Amino acid sequence: MDKILRINMSEKAGPTFKEEKNEKYSGMGGRALTTAIIASEVHPMAHPLSVENKLVIAPGLLSGSLAAMSGRLSIGCKSPLTGGIKESNSGGQAAQVLARLEYAAIILEGMAPEGELYQILINKDGVKIEKAPQYKMLPNYDLIAKVQEIHGDKVACISIGPAGEMKLSASSIAITDMEQRPTRHAGRGGVGAVMGSKGVKLIILDDAGLKNREAADPEKFRAANRKFVEGLRTHAVTGSALPAYGTNVLVNIINEAGGLPTNNFQNGRFPGVSAISGETIADIETRRGANPTHGCHRGCVIRCSGTYHDKDGNFLTKQPEYETVWAHGANCGIDDPDTIAMLDYLDDNYGLDTIDMGAAVAVAMEAGLLKFGDGEGAINLIKEVGKGTPLGKIIGSGAAVTAKVLGVERAPVVKGQAIPAYDPRAIQGIGVTYATSTQGADHTAGYCITANILKVGGFVDPLKTEGQVDLSRDLQIATAAIDSTGMCLFIAFAILDQPETFQALIDMLNAFYGLSMTGDDVAALGKKILTMERDFNKKAGFTALDDRLPRYFYTEKLPPHDALFSVTDMELDSVFNW
Ligand code: SF4
């Protein structure tokens, strides 16, 4: 994985590419690499949709090997949604295939002339860039069906739907899963709009004839991998709860904790929760012949995903994740799993972030455009986005824009990005992460639900402020490092609780690269990444005032605990003091 592929979309005679040896960024993968490239090659004041921005697609350090869980792909750019640096992370098959093709990163630079659309095919024989006007405004499922007709069902695809082509700031980039369905998404921050601005619709990755990447010390690597998998299988969350119910196992738990944002963050409990719980949805999937336990890429042993069938037993979408079930469910007052599944399908098909879409629809409900609980109205609203109507373009630009246009004060966003499925008044630690993350509101950036709610890695009372800053800081550092390995973040449950599983991960990295890293080196990597990101954001104009939650979280009490967000500004400003 020692090559970087630079594709310049601006050339007059058509896009050109060059391969270069990865010297400047050597030893980096995933988020470390996307962050380093964006920080060093993109002007912080560049317009995110301009010729100056770049889109970096990078597998992790262990991707393409036999390491379990190593199929996460990092996509980086300057974000059209937040105006800051962005790393959006996805599962699916692409990371493994790209790594086997020996690329540490693809960098899309410049932009194609207005109206031109391209596809890029990469295989063992080289790189081919072709005009693709036939795919204009095609939704992701239709697009991938066409690819399948031409290239078969073994290739991995990275694509945008109509939302990305329209350069909407809540648009995602889709990655195909094991069954070649466009169900996995780098959802956050409008990365799809940046790909659309470059004029790239589709990247097809074909690793036919190529082998897995080999470790420097194969024996030690295999032994460490075995130990790592054993640790994942033993832990209650990664070994039992996630495989059985997926991430949606959290709906009942977070509702019980009073932190499930309901009706646009007006309540912490949703009366319809039992109809949309992980247990209920897994039961529906089983009864309809779908699969409630499914991996998003080969080599995943947790398998938190699944498939969802409609009432007639036909595949409708992947198992909606907790974030989607919350965003389109509780947050919109919708308690019908089939409606939520349809919304999940539409988001995937048009190429939209389900979190920002659910938040935007809820804001529209609060504005009176439709009523809370109106499932059909929500479906129609998302269809407006697919059609590109003026209203659809507003919704597709995310919750912040929707709230501004519709005059709604309660806009649940930080740095322009929608707050995910945990109310920070009832779970203070995650509020610290939302406020201070370099990425805008992002639960995955420092997932304090671990110690606040799940009692993983210790316990910090979610309703108190004590210990939250330390918790968020430690998790933000660890996450930045994990995001660089290509590992799915859900390994964190096991490595936080089981020192031997954490050691197995380090042993795997050491055996693969012939290194002798320690836990301290991993923490140092996390700090380095966050420092680069903070520095970029500062140069892009962010100040300490951007590291705050919207005011209403400090003034409007959240039932049932009547809680307010109480972590002080001074405490928030100390998160990155290490
Ligand atoms: S645990 Fe879930 S998100 Fe993580 S790699 Fe497996 S299926 Fe994908």
Side-chain angles (χ1 to χ4, degrees), residues 69 72 91 184 294-297 300 302-305 488 490:
M69 312 298 303
R72 301 293 296 193
R184 318 311 304 188
H294 181 263
C296 72
H297 67 83
C300 167
I302 299 175
R303 296 173 301 150
C304 81
S305 192
C488 172
F490 294 150

Side-chain angles (χ1 to χ4, degrees), residues 345-424:
Y345 162 75
L346 291 173
D347 287 343
D348 283 356
N349 206 24
Y350 299 143
L352 290 163
D353 174 25
T354 58
I355 297 176
D356 243 291
M357 281 307 92
V361 172
V363 164
M365 287 172 162
E366 183 160 339
L369 241 59
L370 63 170
K371 287 197 166 59
F372 282 110
D374 180 358
E376 207 182 316
I379 287 172
N380 289 336
L381 210 46
I382 298 296
K383 284 184 176 170
E384 296 279 317
V385 185
K387 286 184 218 154
T389 64
L391 176 61
K393 285 187 173 179
I394 292 166
I395 301 288
S397 299
V401 167
T402 302
K404 206 167 256 188
V405 173
L406 299 180
V408 173
E409 182 211 334
R410 205 180 283 110
V413 298
V414 178
K415 299 184 181 83
Q417 183 165 283
I419 291 178
Y422 313 88
D423 198 298

Side-chain angles (χ1 to χ4, degrees), residues 180-312:
Q180 213 182 42
R181 294 184 287 235
T183 57
R184 318 311 304 188
H185 287 247
R188 311 240 61 201
V191 290
V194 178
M195 188 158 155
S197 74
K198 305 290 172 211
V200 177
K201 175 76 174 174
L202 169 71
I203 302 173
I204 304 166
L205 303 169
D206 183 358
D207 63 354
L210 297 170
K211 291 197 175 121
N212 285 323
R213 294 170 64 217
E214 275 294 337
D217 186 335
E219 215 162 291
K220 270 196 187 148
F221 175 74
R222 274 196 294 275
N225 190 31
R226 266 197 303 275
K227 204 151 187 205
F228 179 66
V229 170
E230 202 180 288
L232 295 176
R233 290 206 166 121
T234 319
H235 193 274
V237 176
T238 51
S240 306
L242 285 174
Y245 306 115
T247 52
N248 203 27
V249 70
L250 285 163
V251 163
N252 275 331
I253 296 169
I254 303 301
N255 189 62
E256 190 56 34
L260 186 69
T262 296
N263 292 2
N264 193 27
F265 288 79
Q266 295 187 63
N267 203 310
R269 287 208 178 124
F270 178 47
V273 70
S274 65
I276 61 168
S277 72
E279 293 81 346
T280 303
I281 289 183
D283 181 52
I284 292 172
E285 287 165 355
T286 307
R287 278 191 284 111
R288 293 181 182 174
N291 181 4
T293 305
H294 181 263
C296 72
H297 67 83
R298 278 186 200 93
C300 167
V301 297
I302 299 175
R303 296 173 301 150
C304 81
S305 192
T307 55
Y308 191 96
H309 288 183
D310 63 17
K311 285 183 176 130
D312 300 324

Side-chain angles (χ1 to χ4, degrees), residues 517-533:
M517 279 196 310
T518 64
D520 288 348
D521 296 318
V522 174
L525 171 65
K527 288 178 188 170
K528 187 176 162 188
I529 295 165
L530 291 171
T531 302
M532 283 191 282
E533 292 173 351

